[in-house]
Amino acid sequence: MIGLSRVFPCGMTIPTATPMTIRSATLVGSGAILLWSLLALFTAASGAVPPFQLAAMTFLVGGLLGCASWIVRPSGLASLRQPPAVWALGIAGLFGYHALYFAALRLAPPAEAGLISYLWPLLIVLFSALLPGEGGLRAAHLAGALLGLAGVVALFLGRGSLTFEAAALPGYLAALACAFLWSGYSVLSRRVGAVPTDAVAGFCLATAALSLACHLAVERTVWPDGPAQWAAVAALGLGPVGAAFYLWDIGVKRGDIRLLGVGSYAAPVLSTLILVAAGYAPATWALALACGLIVAGALVATRGGKAA
């Protein structure tokens, strides 16, 4: 999700024999953040496949990943029978976010667009205060989210100067819409907590179909070149655009959604660390500062949550 170039946040059903605790659900949701940190690496390794085409291919894999479990659990197919409002929420969250993000990248400089779109973790913390039974907005969660945001700002500043130009305003607005859309999807998913995670497979397949339509309308088809690039596309579909969305669905519905919001700031930093380790990016002082700020934010939010 999500804040990095051609990021495609999707998911896997985890059957549970006993009710899941808030802590265990939060840990499951954190798995999505770890998988999203691999987005930039796998996307870079996938070659020159256009964004909407890559989204169509990877969301297809991600949707089929969820459907695969229905072979042994035919009851999972019934999860697709949802009210139109639920389908609208799922498609708006998955397809809407990516369509707006791609538009932002076309209309504004990538660094500025990425930074604005990455306001969504902070918005999750703010919006979650409106959820019933969440106890209002806690200062520790807000402080942790702001420290995380500061870490992401430091990370982007380390890549070069940020210059917000009036001519790129439509792109900035699209990036801001991304942030509101993904945070809204995440928080509203908690309001429809009775909807099984199996339904995410349907949202992924619908997103794949809509992405294909956009690809055919505005892009030229470019297939992956060689086994390594095909493997990167498959890895995207199985992980960051596959299992991650199912894990996130479990986390935001049953876990500590504010802690997940704060923890989401780790994704771009972990992604950069992975790129450095893989030789795609250099290590910088900004990366070290970003790591420190995001770890501090997570510690503040975690201690505040325990105190409450």
Side-chain angles (χ1 to χ4, degrees):
M1 133 130 343
I2 294 189
L4 296 170
S5 180
R6 287 162 61 181
V7 168
F8 313 117
C10 189
M12 144 188 286
T13 299
I14 297 182
T16 54
T18 59
M20 185 174 288
T21 65
I22 292 177
R23 175 175 293 183
S24 59
T26 304
L27 289 174
V28 169
S30 299
I33 298 171
L34 294 176
L35 287 173
W36 286 331
S37 69
L38 296 170
L39 278 166
L41 176 64
F42 290 154
T43 301
S46 66
V49 180
F52 277 116
Q53 180 187 346
L54 188 60
M57 295 168 69
T58 53
F59 271 108
L60 175 61
V61 174
L64 293 177
L65 176 65
C67 296
S69 66
W70 301 346
I71 297 174
V72 294
R73 290 187 312 102
S75 60
L77 182 60
S79 66
L80 298 182
R81 300 194 192 102
Q82 299 298 332
V86 172
W87 276 96
L89 175 64
I91 294 173
L94 300 189
F95 173 75
Y97 171 86
H98 292 93
L100 284 169
Y101 185 69
F102 298 154
L105 292 180
R106 288 176 180 269
L107 299 172
E112 287 81 352
L115 181 57
I116 293 172
S117 70
Y118 230 91
L119 288 171
W120 65 262
L122 176 61
L123 292 176
I124 284 179
V125 174
L126 296 176
F127 291 162
S128 64
L130 303 176
L131 291 170
E134 292 297 324
L137 183 62
R138 296 175 185 169
H141 284 117
L142 181 57
L146 290 173
L147 283 169
L149 178 60
V152 174
V153 171
L155 182 66
F156 278 84
L157 283 173
R159 298 175 182 173
S161 61
L162 296 174
T163 56
F164 293 93
E165 302 175 354
L169 180 60
Y172 301 149
L173 292 176
L176 186 61
C178 285
F180 275 92
L181 197 57
W182 185 251
S183 57
Y185 163 76
S186 299
V187 173
L188 290 174
S189 290
R190 198 173 184 91
R191 296 297 302 270
V192 292
V195 176
T197 297
D198 285 291
V200 174
F203 305 155
C204 288
L205 293 176
T207 298
L210 290 171
S211 297
L212 176 60
C214 291
H215 163 66
L216 295 176
V218 301
E219 294 177 339
R220 181 176 65 87
T221 300
V222 178
W223 295 110
D225 184 14
Q229 292 187 7
W230 278 105
V233 171
L236 276 170
L238 292 173
V241 191
F245 285 138
Y246 301 94
L247 299 178
W248 187 249
D249 186 77
I250 292 171
V252 296
K253 286 179 177 176
R254 308 181 196 177
D256 187 332
I257 189 171
R258 285 169 293 194
L259 193 56
L260 285 171
V262 174
S264 295
Y265 279 117
V269 175
L270 289 174
S271 178
T272 304
L273 287 171
I274 291 171
L275 289 174
V276 170
Y280 282 95
T284 64
W285 64 267
L287 177 58
L289 177 59
C291 288
L293 287 169
I294 288 173
V295 169
L299 290 174
V300 168
T302 301
R303 290 178 64 85
K306 290 180 178 178

